[in-house]
Amino acid sequence: MTTDELKQFCAALPGVQAVLHGPPSNILVCEVSGKKFAYFKTSAPEQWRFSLRVSAERFIELTDMPGVKPARYMGRFHWVTIVDVARFPADYLAELVQDSHARAVASLTRTQRAAIA
């Protein structure tokens, strides 16, 4: 899966808005009703690095893999950064993104969840 395909996959999930933040952060954030579930770094030298939230168990599993590290400033909340998305199988990335999206949706109020569904 390429970075562009991954961005399209994230944007296609229910209730998702993609918000581009300019300097100094330079990130493309995928969120559901203000709850972030993934983001892409858009400036060099880290261009198109992908970060998302995972469970505590997956955090340990993923950070032991080459090309994955705790996300800067967000690692303590179980966010990981995938340096090169092309190195991971598409179905595995899709599963991670769907899980992160589900976590964001679960943190919404009942009314917000109903509006998305």
Side-chain angles (χ1 to χ4, degrees), residues 30-110:
C30 296
E31 60 186 26
V32 178
S33 296
K35 300 288 185 176
K36 296 174 182 69
F37 71 92
Y39 62 89
F40 296 86
K41 185 73 174 161
T42 60
S43 63
E46 301 169 335
Q47 190 166 19
W48 303 125
R49 288 188 179 181
F50 174 66
S51 299
L52 73 159
R53 185 176 175 199
V54 295
S55 67
E57 297 81 26
R58 276 249 165 106
F59 181 81
I60 294 168
E61 169 194 334
L62 285 167
T63 53
D64 284 343
M65 297 173 78
V68 180
K69 60 184 185 175
R72 180 186 258 175
Y73 308 117
M74 299 292 281
R76 64 181 174 200
F77 303 113
H78 302 122
W79 281 72
V80 294
T81 296
I82 299 174
V83 177
D84 183 14
V85 297
R87 293 180 51 187
F88 286 85
D91 58 341
Y92 188 65
L93 281 173
E95 179 187 338
L96 291 174
V97 169
Q98 288 170 336
D99 183 55
S100 185
H101 178 264
R103 289 174 173 279
V105 170
S107 70
L108 299 174
T109 65
R110 185 178 304 150

